[in-house]
Amino acid sequence: MQLGYLAFEVENLSQWHNLLTQVIGLVDVGDGRYRMDQYAWRIQIIEGDADDLHTVAWELTAAELEETLQRLRTAQWPVIERDASAIGATQRWALKDPAGTDTELVVGLPKANTPFHSPVVPNGFVADDLGMGHLVLTAPDKQASADFYQNLLGFALSDHIVTQIFGHPVDLSFFHANARHHSLALGGPLRKRLHHLMFEARRFDDVGLAYDRAIRAGVPIMQTLGRHPNDKMFSFYAKTPSKFQFEFGWGGRRIDDADWEPTTYDHISEWGHHPPQVVLGSRK
Ligand SMILES: [Fe+2]
């Protein structure tokens, strides 16, 4: 299983377009859709008032979908079939996660006929079979969400981070669906449906170049360059026009379930990931 695509309902389409194409380096393929690998598209932006995540689509094989639908039916979890042809897929089922986030299970997302090329990130992104990246979703009832993703959708626990940041408790759980260290993380309740989504570049320097592009474009940097202890991602965080964040990284860890032991970390970064106010010396 992998993170197949994300749809966002956003107030400012042009700001989003500029962020996706000029800062992050995706390619506009029309209809509000953006490409980052051999998949025809991975992100869709729709104009609307929510200014938030609209849909999270997980792609599975047809056999995996059958097993998952069976588990959902056994648990009497409501799931409805949607028009797969509208997204060029072969199967498409819709459900809500315990936080109420619109979720889809899809099979056979369309692929592009041409090689991916980004003029901004010429070496491209780590995506394809590992999915488009990861996201951290709101989970007002974290245990209910963890149970849903593990027991019904089939995610496996990667690890936890339990710590404090500037006096605020942080309790994150990370889950994988393939070799990517995590495709999904759950924290507590959030103002938006997600804290951030993550893009992983293939080349180290592309993180620094994206950091420069964000600064020059006036995109607010939320966390400076740093490295996480669990997925080892070297990354920075910046704010999208819809106020939630995106992470741009390189060097994420891969998991082999044969020898993976989930652990709990007591810090969120090995180094870096400071709020810019701290760098400026203006935050106690
Ligand atoms: Fe992340």
Side-chain angles (χ1 to χ4, degrees):
M1 184 162 58
Q2 60 147 289
L3 184 53
Y5 70 83
L6 296 175
F8 297 98
E9 183 183 323
V10 308
E11 283 181 358
N12 194 320
L13 279 178
S14 68
Q15 280 184 13
W16 263 94
H17 171 84
N18 291 342
L19 175 73
L20 291 173
T21 58
Q22 292 168 24
V23 176
I24 296 169
L26 308 196
V27 171
D28 181 356
V29 293
D31 295 329
R33 290 171 171 171
Y34 294 83
R35 185 180 165 192
M36 65 180 291
D37 59 2
Q38 261 332 103
Y39 279 60
W41 52 278
R42 289 291 201 169
I43 282 186
Q44 181 168 27
I45 51 173
I46 309 156
E47 195 165 21
D49 296 332
D51 225 19
D52 206 341
L53 178 63
H54 183 275
T55 303
V56 181
W58 300 103
E59 189 187 38
L60 326 77
T61 65
E64 287 167 343
L65 176 67
E66 271 318 303
E67 289 173 21
T68 302
L69 288 176
Q70 193 55 52
R71 288 195 298 268
L72 290 164
R73 286 183 190 119
T74 302
Q76 297 186 306
W77 197 276
V79 52
I80 57 163
E81 193 162 16
R82 244 180 218 171
D83 178 16
S85 66
I87 56 166
T90 53
Q91 293 197 67
R92 185 186 190 194
W93 292 79
L95 65 164
K96 286 188 184 291
D97 84 350
T101 299
D102 278 314
T103 304
E104 289 182 357
L105 302 173
V106 295
V107 175
L109 287 176
K111 303 285 170 56
N113 298 319
T114 53
F116 175 72
H117 176 71
S118 166
V120 177
V121 184
N123 290 272
F125 296 91
V126 177
D128 294 296
D129 291 348
L130 294 177
M132 61 170 285
H134 71 231
L135 78 173
V136 179
L137 285 176
T138 185
D141 184 340
K142 184 157 167 271
Q143 193 57 53
S145 287
D147 288 345
F148 169 81
Y149 283 103
Q150 285 184 273
N151 301 335
L152 296 183
L153 294 202
F155 284 76
L157 179 67
S158 303
D159 40 45
H160 307 278
I161 294 180
V162 181
T163 185
Q164 290 206 342
I165 300 180
F166 298 107
H168 298 289
V170 170
D171 184 350
L172 289 160
S173 297
F174 299 81
F175 302 92
H176 57 280
N178 54 57
R180 187 188 287 284
H181 173 275
H182 63 280
S183 295
L184 171 72
L186 301 169
L190 300 167
R191 246 172 282 166
K192 299 278 180 172
R193 292 206 168 275
L194 78 170
H195 177 268
H196 70 269
L197 69 157
M198 190 281 308
F199 303 94
E200 183 177 2
R202 289 189 183 280
R203 191 180 62 159
F204 174 84
D205 277 344
D206 280 320
V207 180
L209 290 166
Y211 194 62
D212 280 357
R213 287 194 300 274
I215 290 167
R216 287 197 195 102
V219 175
I221 301 296
M222 304 305 288
Q223 295 180 43
T224 58
L225 293 164
R227 192 187 283 274
H228 289 301
N230 57 340
D231 68 352
K232 300 289 179 189
M233 191 75 74
F234 166 69
S235 62
F236 71 92
Y237 291 71
K239 199 189 271 184
T240 70
S242 302
K243 309 287 194 293
F244 54 83
Q245 300 180 27
F246 71 91
E247 178 182 11
F248 194 105
W250 169 86
R253 190 178 200 170
R254 307 285 168 252
I255 281 180
D256 181 352
D257 272 316
D259 61 5
W260 187 257
E261 291 286 340
T263 49
T264 299
Y265 295 84
D266 65 0
H267 53 297
I268 203 158
S269 299
E270 287 181 348
W271 57 269
H273 290 146
H274 303 293
Q277 302 94 306
V278 170
V279 180
L280 295 170
S282 59
R283 185 166 178 170
K284 286 172 191 158

